[in-house]
Amino acid sequence: MSIREITTKPYLDQKPGTAGLRKKVAVFQQPHYLENFLQSIFDCVPELKGATVVMGGDGRYHNRDAIRAAIGIAAANGVARVVVGQGGLLSTPAAAHLIRKLGAAGGFLFTASHNPAGPDGDFGIKFNVAGGGQAGEGLTERIYGASKRITRYRSIDEVEIDLDRRTTQQVGPMQVEVVDCVEDYAQLMQSLFDFDRMRDWIKRGNGLRFDAMHAATGPYAQRILVEQLGAPPAAVLNGSPLEDFGGGHPDPNLVHGQHLVELAFGEGAPQLVAASDGDGDRNMILGRGIFVSPGDSLAILAAHLPRLPGYRDGLKGIARSMPTSRAADRVAAAMNVPLFETPTGWKFFCNLLDSGQVTICGEESFGTSSAHAREKDGLWAVLAWLNVLALTGKTVAEIADEHWRRHGRHYFQRLDYEELAGPAAEAVMQAFSGSLANLQGRTLADFEVTLADEFGYHDRIDGSVAVGQGLRVVCGDQARIVMRLSGTGTKGATLRVYLERYERDPTALHWRPEDALAPLAAAAEKLGRIGELTGRRAPTLVT
């Protein structure tokens, strides 16, 4: 095998978003597009030379081809060893753990997360640094800069690698080790949770359903829930990874997970109904007759975590993204631990985790995890809930009700306006921004505005500053409206509006969220002139 330098020309659209570079499959299939971006990463991360690198993906269409291309480029750039998940599969949290466990210099994750897959779907690449966390904004900007200047990439001809057989193979001077994609992650989960108690809970006839959505978490759920915890095989739905995710949308929320909502609210519903997304980093939690919002899930798990085996030393702190409901803030105050508010993007939690300042983190976009990994972890959240159910002997609804009676309830919704024309989305943001200056002290939807600004973040650990992280209108502890543009879509612009209302009165803890939040929704519509500027009468998605 010979190393070649291939002449290329830059593509100017390779700017990573919130979690890597995501585009349509057809974009990645353009000549040298994938290779350009990979080489740009190697050019910006010299630590990869002579080191171990982890690779894997969510199994979507183009995953295997991309991994083989990455292996050839890694060999040509002096990587000593690549560790890749069998079949090219590694969930994002499992890859993050493997990077940490092996002391790898980084990892290439081939995923577009919760976005649809298939030849007409989406594809993505995310680079995770040593320690397992997402590349920070400084590094992603350097990679983007390199991608605009690139003139050549290095690769090895005719890479032949068997991704389905667990063995060590040779690609030029580099070793490629194909490993069981589940084993290390499963061992980690056993160290964090009480498997005996959970096994007994299942044995006593408590029902469980987990939907892997034909994506990366299928093998993990089969191994842990069925083989290790003794759940019946029928407990895992859509457990076989498919290149098109079975034609579904692997985004666990109330719209794309409507069949799970029907299951949870139907006759004879299981005690726990859950799901994860394409790459296994998101989660949705439902119980019999109840949906647990991501903000509530974060708060409830934080309150119970010190009772679980891996967390008996207590919590060091809690972190949430700014748009996420402030339910966790109440728990942090009650437990006398710090609460950190960051921009959207798991990378902002990593410094807090690495410095030992937080134990659990969460985002409103159905992401929850702890200090065990530097990524959000869908199956971890499901197992945490399972352990809490087994420990308390209560139902999901009883646990939620008990939490609300103690801390009050934060009603929360996210309204997504997807595939907007870019100028229309920007016009809404400008209209909303223009209204902020005169809002403080005024009454909005019967709440007094105490703060109206654009959120920015100063990382006290590395000194970095993130600006333009969302517009917000805060009405003390009672209510909030937040507006921002999403960085995870591949078509048009996605405008997100977040609504939050806090109620402490015991008679106000079981309203319908849409009713509780209707006055705030009307206020957001008026401030941003959403219908007027976008032509949309309603959001595409409400979660």
Side-chain angles (χ1 to χ4, degrees):
M1 296 181 180
S2 59
I3 296 176
R4 295 178 56 210
E5 283 207 353
I6 295 95
T7 301
T8 187
K9 293 181 180 180
Y11 291 89
L12 302 181
D13 63 344
Q14 295 189 330
K15 182 177 177 62
T18 303
L21 180 68
R22 294 180 191 172
K23 302 287 182 182
K24 291 294 182 184
V25 168
V27 173
F28 272 100
Q29 289 177 325
Q30 295 176 97
H32 310 315
Y33 191 93
L34 171 72
E35 293 84 355
N36 278 17
F37 190 69
L38 291 169
Q39 183 64 56
S40 298
I41 295 172
F42 280 102
D43 289 344
C44 292
V45 190
E47 299 89 344
L48 298 178
K49 187 174 183 179
T52 295
V53 169
V54 171
M55 292 187 187
D58 58 18
R60 68 178 59 230
Y61 184 84
H62 202 50
N63 186 58
R64 288 172 176 260
D65 290 342
I67 288 175
R68 289 192 174 96
I71 287 172
I73 292 175
N77 280 275
V79 170
R81 175 188 177 215
V82 164
V83 176
V84 60
Q86 188 176 13
L89 284 174
L90 272 178
S91 75
T92 288
H97 170 59
L98 201 56
I99 292 168
R100 285 168 63 83
K101 180 178 179 179
L102 298 177
F108 292 83
L109 283 61
F110 298 92
T111 174
S113 188
H114 56 287
N115 294 12
D120 299 321
D122 297 341
F123 192 74
I125 303 174
K126 181 167 67 170
F127 178 70
N128 282 30
V129 297
Q134 299 175 12
E137 289 198 329
L139 177 54
T140 58
E141 282 297 321
R142 292 198 301 275
I143 292 169
Y144 177 46
S147 76
K148 294 188 290 184
R149 299 186 301 270
I150 192 169
T151 59
R152 59 92 187 106
Y153 65 86
R154 295 165 59 83
S155 186
I156 282 186
D157 286 334
E158 300 177 2
V159 171
E160 294 184 9
I161 196 80
D162 185 353
L163 293 174
D164 296 307
R165 186 165 55 97
R166 295 204 297 267
T167 186
T168 299
Q169 304 165 61
Q170 203 72 25
V171 176
M174 184 179 74
Q175 281 190 343
V176 178
E177 184 180 355
V178 180
V179 300
D180 184 325
C181 65
V182 178
E183 185 59 30
D184 290 300
Y185 178 85
Q187 290 178 7
L188 176 63
M189 295 301 105
Q190 290 176 49
S191 73
L192 299 175
F193 301 119
D194 189 340
F195 271 45
D196 289 338
R197 192 182 290 269
M198 294 154 71
R199 194 178 296 113
D200 183 64
W201 184 86
I202 292 171
K203 188 180 295 184
R204 285 187 280 111
N206 289 294
L208 163 70
R209 292 293 184 276
F210 173 81
D211 192 347
M213 296 191 162
H214 286 305
T217 50
Y220 297 84
Q222 173 66 29
R223 180 81 58 85
I224 297 172
L225 296 177
V226 177
E227 297 175 19
Q228 296 180 348
L229 292 177
V236 177
L237 309 176
N238 302 314
S240 300
L242 300 175
E243 287 193 336
D244 65 349
F245 299 148
H249 194 141
D251 192 356
N253 58 43
L254 296 177
V255 175
H256 302 301
Q258 178 60 35
H259 60 292
L260 299 176
V261 177
E262 294 171 359
L263 176 63
F265 283 78
E267 187 176 347
Q271 290 286 5
L272 179 63
V273 178
S276 191
D277 68 331
D279 65 329
D281 65 354
R282 296 187 178 204
N283 73 92
M284 180 168 70
I285 301 295
L286 303 103
R288 187 175 291 172
I290 185 172
F291 162 68
V292 183
S293 73
D296 276 341
S297 182
L298 170 65
I300 291 169
L301 288 181
H304 286 86
L305 213 58
R307 301 177 65 189
L308 307 187
Y311 304 93
R312 286 187 176 139
D313 290 339
L315 301 189
K316 296 178 180 178
I318 305 171
R320 62 165 176 82
S321 63
M322 183 274 287
T324 301
S325 91
R326 296 178 288 183
D329 303 33
R330 304 277 170 180
V331 174
M335 299 179 78
N336 196 29
V337 298
L339 185 287
F340 298 89
E341 183 179 50
T342 75
T344 296
W346 208 261
K347 57 193 172 187
F348 292 105
F349 293 142
C350 288
N351 278 349
L352 295 169
L353 291 164
D354 286 340
S355 63
Q357 297 188 54
V358 299
T359 303
I360 185 170
C361 314
E363 294 185 328
E364 48 68 37
S365 54
F366 295 82
T368 324
S369 193
S370 80
H372 73 281
R374 296 301 180 264
E375 286 278 7
K376 50 184 178 278
D377 189 344
L379 191 52
W380 174 89
V382 175
L383 291 171
W385 266 99
L386 181 56
N387 203 161
V388 170
L389 291 171
L391 178 70
T392 62
K394 298 175 181 177
T395 67
V396 173
E398 288 169 344
I399 291 169
D401 283 344
E402 184 179 88
H403 183 89
W404 294 335
R405 285 196 303 271
R406 180 178 180 187
H407 298 285
R409 183 174 181 181
H410 289 255
Y411 290 95
F412 182 87
Q413 280 187 333
R414 189 182 85 188
L415 316 182
D416 286 6
Y417 296 82
E418 298 178 334
E419 297 185 6
L420 295 174
E426 290 290 351
V428 173
M429 292 293 290
Q430 289 173 12
F432 195 89
S433 177
S435 69
L436 297 183
N438 300 317
L439 278 181
Q440 190 162 337
R442 290 176 52 190
T443 298
L444 186 71
D446 295 328
F447 303 107
E448 182 182 348
V449 177
T450 56
L451 178 69
D453 68 355
E454 183 172 46
F455 181 65
Y457 181 68
H458 174 223
D459 191 319
R460 296 180 182 177
I461 298 166
D462 65 9
S464 63
V465 175
V467 298
Q469 297 298 314
L471 306 173
R472 58 183 180 174
V473 176
V474 181
C475 302
D477 292 336
Q478 293 179 292
R480 282 195 312 165
I481 300 172
V482 174
M483 185 176 291
R484 58 180 288 272
L485 296 179
S486 169
T488 60
T490 62
K491 184 177 180 182
T494 297
L495 176 73
R496 287 182 171 158
V497 180
Y498 309 82
L499 310 173
E500 180 180 11
R501 175 176 177 177
Y502 177 66
E503 290 292 338
R504 183 107 194 179
D505 188 331
T507 66
L509 301 181
H510 294 92
W511 293 342
R512 295 198 317 163
E514 56 268 36
D515 294 337
L517 297 167
L520 293 170
E525 161 67 35
K526 183 176 180 180
L527 291 173
R529 298 161 52 201
I530 298 173
E532 173 191 344
L533 295 172
T534 68
R536 301 284 182 90
R537 295 185 177 181
T540 314
L541 184 68
V542 178
T543 55

